[in-house]
Amino acid sequence: MSPIGVFDSGYGGLTILQQLRKQLPERDFIYLGDNARAPYGSRSFDVVYEFTRQAVMKLFSMGCRLVILGCNTASAKALRTIQQRDLIATGTGTITGTESSNLYEQGYRVLGVIRPTVEVIGSLTKSRHVGVVATEGTVRSESYSLEIAKFHPDIKVTGQACPLWAAIVEAGESESEGAEFFVRKRINQLLAKDPKIDTIILGCTHYPLLMNALRKAVPEGINIVPQGEYVARSLEDYLRRHPDMDANCSKGGTVQFFTTESPERFKECAAMFLHEEVNVQHIDL
């Protein structure tokens, strides 16, 4: 069995997993949350890379050949280095039992959540002015600006860091007046920077849980773009275009959950994100 791995520093990646399961219900998944070391948003590039690399290698060792970084910070700060350095590095026998070829040649892949959103954004904006609300780390990395420039050089991208939003979600306060206040504050700051914005990307996987507050804060006529649906469609297309990987990824309709923190705490938060009870095991990285 080779399940698809989904990694996040915390709980936000569960919104990605939810859409993946909806789009690909027959597939097996393993979700790994590094909740003990979350949040990643304000950590340095080197720290985020090292933590993400550890998680990816753990998922590889658990049988996953394909891992989705269901975390914008990890996608922004670690994905490219992992793809270019770790997947082509030699000396990978601890995972595969052979030292003869690198992980890429053996069919291991790591994908992120930024590019699938970027690829479709050109069809969603008419004004060609796009906003990105995200963690400080994602905004500072300028990953969305750089990626959008590759596909749509005519689009102007404006970022807005929203440092409290993820914490509000994890505290179970998504529907509170406080959530509405902080969401409106950051949306107003974003639109003050560029009033021509007609599309706002939710560049953090926690933010779909703030959708009610966002709809109240975002003026009518502006698109709000969560990532999960586009990531799921992109993965389905990826598997269609890569029949070898498609054949390797097992189809049992199962999902396993692992956390580096308290399983009880994970169960409580997972219920908020997935609206179901889950079985979860502790794991060390």
Side-chain angles (χ1 to χ4, degrees), residues 132 142-150 157-159:
V132 178
E142 297 188 342
S143 293
Y144 275 95
S145 299
L146 294 171
E147 286 296 314
I148 289 175
K150 294 177 186 176
V157 181
T158 302

Side-chain angles (χ1 to χ4, degrees), residues 230-247:
Y230 301 107
V231 173
R233 289 181 187 174
S234 179
L235 177 57
E236 184 177 42
D237 180 63
Y238 178 88
L239 293 173
R240 189 183 302 114
R241 291 184 290 106
H242 296 82
D244 290 345
M245 181 62 75
D246 181 58

Side-chain angles (χ1 to χ4, degrees), residues 21 24-29 250-255:
R21 292 169 68 190
L24 302 164
E26 74 283 1
R27 298 290 177 173
D28 295 310
F29 294 95
S250 55
K251 298 180 179 180
T254 66
V255 58

Side-chain angles (χ1 to χ4, degrees), residues 176-186 213:
S176 67
E177 292 183 4
E180 291 185 15
F181 171 82
F182 285 109
V183 167
R184 188 175 300 278
K185 177 180 180 180
R186 298 304 182 188

